Amino acid sequence: PTANGNFSATITIQNQGTVAADGGYLDVWANQSAIQRCGAEGDGWVDVGVLAAGATKTVTVSGLPAGAAGAKVARAFVDSWCETSEANEVNNQMTKAYTVQ
C-alpha cells in the first residue's frame, strides 16, 4: 500500500468444522497487532455467509486506510460478533505483517 492511501485485503476463510456454519462478519483492521474481542469494529468488514464443512471462501475487504509509511500488522477476525457457537474459537483471528511504502 501507498502511504495515506487506501488498500484492499483478500482473505480466504475456511470452515474447519464438521458441519455447515455461518461465518458471520469478517472484520479487518489495517494495523492491529492485539487480539480483538467479540463485537470490536474493524476498519472494514464483509458478511461471510454460510460455509459447508471444510469449505473455503475468498473475500475482499476494500477501503482499508494505509496510514503513514512503515511496518504494519493487519488483523482479520471471522465471526467477529461471536454469534456462531464453535468447538474452537481461537482460530478465528489471524495477522499478516506488511509494509506501507
Side-chain angles (χ1 to χ4, degrees):
T2 304
N4 301 314
N6 290 324
F7 69 99
S8 297
T10 301
I11 301 158
T12 300
I13 301 150
Q14 180 179 22
N15 177 354
Q16 295 179 342
T18 57
V19 298
D22 188 347
Y25 294 106
L26 171 76
D27 273 270
V28 178
W29 290 262
N31 190 27
Q32 181 57 261
S33 58
I35 292 173
Q36 295 300 290
R37 294 183 182 197
C38 296
E41 293 184 20
D43 297 313
W45 61 274
V46 65
D47 188 0
V48 175
V50 176
L51 281 85
T56 61
K57 182 175 186 177
T58 300
V59 298
T60 300
V61 178
S62 301
L64 298 170
K72 311 284 180 164
V73 177
R75 177 172 295 277
F77 183 2
V78 71
D79 188 27
S80 60
W81 288 84
C82 303
E83 294 177 332
T84 300
S85 179
E86 303 170 63
N88 182 2
E89 295 283 354
V90 298
N91 65 355
N92 287 354
Q93 296 188 45
M94 68 161 291
T95 59
K96 176 73 174 170
Y98 70 101
T99 302
V100 173
Q101 302 295 320

